Amino acid sequence: MNSANDHPIIVLGAGMSGLAAASLLSQSGCSPLVLDKARGVGGRMSRRRTEWGPIDHGASFFQARHPLFQKQVDAWLQQGLVFSWSRGFSDESGHRRESGVPCYACSEGMNAVLKDLARGLAIHTRQKVQRVCVVQDQWQLETEGGETYRTDALLMTAPVPQSLELLNQGKVSLDDSHRSALASIDYEPCLALMVVTSQKSPLPEDGGLWLSGEPLSWIADQSRKTGSENAISRLVLHAGPDFSRTHWDEDPEKVTEEILKAADPWLAGERLSVQYHRWRYKTPLKVFPEPCLKAHAKPALFLAGDGFQRSGVEGAYLSGRAAAQALLS
Ligand SMILES: Cc1cc2nc3c(=O)[nH]c(=O)nc-3n(C[C@H](O)[C@H](O)[C@H](O)COP(=O)(O)OP(=O)(O)OC[C@H]3O[C@@H](n4cnc5c(N)ncnc54)[C@H](O)[C@@H]3O)c2cc1C
């Protein structure tokens, strides 16, 4: 066995839930190893680089309703990582949709808060795990690149269908009621475009706009969100779930044209750059009834993420923390 790859705790996923868990575990004296298939931390809070600056192409903002998450957000506000972008956004008819709490964003991109949580943690990126199985009372994680990691305690924070698939690949037996509850957690997909235009978009001044939902649900201008003086607009366009499901497998060029057509009233000037991204798991349609799941006792296996607690980024944070607490106890 390669002892360098033998770790007391492994956290699979460097998104909000995985890093919230790993940072709490680390503060409590444990040394978790975090694995992620991507090039960096972020998950669904990642940003996409363009020649004209980055665009948050997953979550555009987050809210805080739970005191635990608010405390964390307050710390980020103090560090200047987070700012209150708006208290809500208008829809096409000019009606304000406000929920009474601020919509927070990060001036350096949404993954800035994850980089903060990741500070000091051992993180191996570009490690796509393709199978999780039990070998001699330990979890064994096998990656696409041929690496093998072993651990006594595993926390999986990928979207639930992805975690289930990895466990299925390793023929891991789960309690029937857990398996069926997990299998019923489905997510909305989202086709997204990142568009840079040469002129200021006719969006509301704060730079966010709710649309009818189909074919488009949301447009945000990164330039206005972060207060850039530049006249260029860096837009993210999110298609609605029905449009995204229907057009999922279609030719990206054709889908791009359809999304651009629907967004035309909000695009001004020349299109300098257009990028396409398919998010298979935007947000869960329903969540697991507990904030995390202990799915296996020995070796210990926990599952967490936004599939276990409502409200997107905040839910992912709270679920990750709950799983870390459960692991510690
Ligand atoms: C388009 C879009 C818009 C959104 N808008 C908002 C919003 O405005 N506000 C809000 O609060 N929420 C929003 N959300 C939801 C929010 O982004 C998520 O709820 C939250 O980021 C989930 O965090 P997580 O840690 O649970 O999962 P993730 O961020 O998905 O993290 C899981 C990690 O696991 C890794 N992983 C998966 N499989 C493997 C594997 N086999 N091997 C290794 N690593 C693996 C992934 O690379 C990923 O980094 C949005 C999401 C999307 C996609």
Side-chain angles (χ1 to χ4, degrees):
M1 183 173 70
N2 180 357
S3 58
N5 278 353
D6 199 342
H7 299 267
I9 302 179
I10 289 184
V11 176
L12 181 53
M16 179 53 95
S17 52
L19 292 176
S23 94
L24 180 58
L25 289 167
S26 169
Q27 283 161 21
S28 311
C30 304
S31 306
L33 172 71
V34 182
L35 298 179
D36 202 290
K37 64 183 177 184
R39 274 185 298 173
V41 303
R44 281 171 277 163
M45 295 176 75
S46 300
R47 61 187 194 159
R48 183 64 75 87
R49 285 204 182 96
T50 78
E51 209 181 309
W52 291 269
I55 300 178
D56 294 317
H57 67 315
S60 295
F61 63 86
F62 54 80
Q63 294 177 302
R65 291 186 173 81
H66 193 285
L68 197 61
F69 188 52
Q70 185 67 61
K71 193 172 162 209
Q72 175 66 78
V73 173
D74 288 343
W76 287 328
L77 283 164
Q78 273 205 337
Q79 291 174 61
L81 284 177
V82 159
F83 65 95
S84 171
W85 177 12
S86 181
R87 291 192 78 84
F89 300 95
S90 301
D91 62 22
E92 281 167 288
S93 63
H95 173 74
R96 293 284 295 173
R97 290 196 208 164
E98 295 198 359
S99 57
V101 292
C103 301
Y104 296 107
C106 309
S107 37
E108 298 299 322
M110 295 299 278
N111 63 354
V113 291
L114 297 180
K115 288 183 183 163
D116 181 57
L117 290 174
R119 203 167 302 133
L121 295 176
I123 303 180
H124 292 190
T125 53
R126 298 175 199 252
Q127 295 294 328
K128 183 170 184 181
V129 176
Q130 55 183 15
R131 199 165 92 105
V132 170
C133 53
V134 179
V135 175
Q136 292 170 353
D137 285 338
Q138 278 196 308
W139 291 108
Q140 178 164 301
L141 289 78
E142 296 159 10
T143 72
E144 210 173 53
E147 295 270 354
T148 298
Y149 292 88
R150 291 200 177 174
T151 184
D152 296 325
L154 175 62
L155 168 57
M156 300 178 78
T157 68
V160 175
Q162 291 181 322
S163 292
L164 263 186
E165 177 56 22
L166 294 177
L167 295 168
N168 288 341
Q169 287 297 327
K171 298 192 169 37
V172 174
S173 63
L174 296 176
D175 176 279
D176 282 347
S177 64
H178 289 162
R179 187 177 283 281
S180 66
L182 293 171
S184 72
I185 299 173
D186 204 4
Y187 291 67
E188 282 188 345
C190 175
L191 297 176
L193 279 195
M194 286 65 75
V195 184
V196 181
T197 61
S198 62
Q199 289 176 21
K200 194 173 168 184
S201 154
L203 286 169
E205 219 24 65
D206 55 19
L209 181 74
W210 293 115
L211 291 148
S212 62
E214 302 296 343
L216 290 180
S217 61
W218 168 251
I219 303 185
D221 181 358
Q222 188 88 17
S223 304
R224 251 181 277 174
K225 173 164 132 180
T226 53
S228 159
E229 294 298 314
N230 206 321
I232 281 174
S233 295
R234 281 177 284 147
L235 304 166
V236 66
L237 318 176
H238 287 160
D242 292 345
F243 180 93
S244 300
R245 255 181 229 109
T246 311
H247 297 275
W248 188 259
D249 288 318
E250 285 177 14
D251 173 22
E253 274 187 33
K254 191 171 155 251
V255 183
T256 297
E257 278 315 308
E258 285 208 40
I259 297 178
L260 287 174
K261 205 165 109 193
D264 192 60
W266 311 105
L267 305 177
E270 197 189 335
R271 284 164 204 169
L272 302 173
S273 150
V274 179
Q275 296 184 47
Y276 177 68
H277 186 82
R278 298 191 311 174
W279 292 105
R280 187 175 289 281
Y281 306 104
K282 182 185 177 195
T283 37
L285 292 161
K286 75 172 199 188
V287 295
F288 194 81
E290 304 290 330
C292 65
L293 169 67
K294 183 171 188 177
H296 206 276
K298 204 166 181 297
L301 171 66
F302 288 84
L303 272 73
D306 68 344
F308 295 80
Q309 182 115 22
R310 283 217 179 276
S311 76
V313 169
E314 177 179 36
Y317 176 89
L318 294 171
S319 173
R321 297 270 306 199
Q325 295 282 14
L327 255 161
L328 289 166
S329 62

